[in-house]
Amino acid sequence: MPDPPFKDRAPDTGDATESEPPPRRIRKPVGWSTISIALLVAISAALVWRRDGADGVWEILKHDLALFGGILPRVLAGCLLGAFITEILPHEKVSRSLGPKSGLKGLLIGAAFGAILPGGPFTAYPVASALLTVGADFGATIAMVVSWTLIGYGRAVAWELPIMGTDFTLWRIVISLPLPILAGALGRFVYVRIYPKGAP
């Protein structure tokens, strides 16, 4: 008896599902934060219009357009960096090292990575977003961002050491060391209870 047609056969899900990368997070182009900011902008523009007229609103728009043109290249570079990191980093290794089951090790790796991460927010936040996309959990990513904010060596070397001195900088770093770990652990604890079945 001949084999049944291919479309009638049960699909083989043995190794195929294991080799597939984890599904990526779906990002909404317009969220509550965007809507809230848009409402605040509209209210603020109406108040300025009422007080200063169209000229006042136009002056603010010209200043903000010039500011936007200045930071746009850095925003674009940061977004491209995050996109390339998403494609380059191995998802399985990131998930194993920084994922929900990485424990204290994942928090320590995230905190150490944030401490040595160079650049400003146009670098740090796209990298953090890329880590979330490729399998890092909230806890490790929070530890990274908090460590970059509090311990980041770039700002310490360029600004803090020359202005505040060695003693202040060293003690500030020592006192700040446990904070990224605590923040990451708390973030992981809260996230698991808000989303017990994973990200929405």
Side-chain angles (χ1 to χ4, degrees):
M1 184 176 180
D3 294 336
F6 181 75
K7 63 180 180 180
D8 293 336
R9 296 177 183 174
D12 183 11
T13 58
D15 298 331
T17 55
E18 295 179 0
S19 62
E20 292 179 358
R24 296 188 176 184
R25 299 174 189 271
I26 300 175
R27 300 183 183 276
K28 297 179 180 180
V30 178
W32 284 109
S33 60
T34 305
I35 296 173
S36 301
I37 292 173
L39 287 175
L40 290 174
V41 168
I43 294 171
S44 301
L47 292 174
V48 172
W49 184 293
R50 182 177 179 181
R51 190 189 66 179
D52 301 330
D55 292 337
V57 176
W58 179 242
E59 285 298 321
I60 293 174
L61 285 176
K62 287 195 298 184
H63 178 270
D64 283 356
L65 285 174
L67 178 64
F68 178 72
I71 68 173
L72 184 60
R74 285 176 283 179
V75 174
L76 178 60
C79 292
L80 286 174
L81 175 64
F84 285 131
I85 288 177
T86 301
E87 295 299 325
I88 293 172
L89 289 178
H91 293 208
E92 293 181 0
K93 290 184 179 180
V94 172
S95 180
R96 189 164 55 249
S97 301
L98 298 172
K101 298 180 180 179
S102 59
L104 179 60
K105 175 186 173 183
L107 299 180
L108 290 173
I109 293 175
F113 181 64
I116 65 174
L117 183 66
F122 300 111
T123 301
Y125 292 113
V127 169
S129 177
L131 289 177
L132 283 175
T133 303
V134 297
D137 76 327
F138 268 36
T141 308
I142 288 173
M144 190 214 85
V145 173
V146 173
S147 179
W148 169 79
T149 304
L150 295 179
I151 305 174
Y153 84 94
R155 291 186 304 278
V157 172
W159 298 99
E160 201 168 355
L161 275 173
I163 296 174
M164 306 301 294
T166 304
D167 290 342
F168 177 89
T169 303
L170 289 178
W171 277 110
R172 198 268 308 161
I173 290 175
V174 169
I175 293 170
S176 301
L177 282 177
L179 298 180
I181 308 300
L182 295 174
L186 180 61
R188 184 176 285 171
F189 176 83
V190 172
Y191 180 76
V192 168
R193 275 145 186 81
I194 295 178
Y195 305 112
K197 296 183 179 179

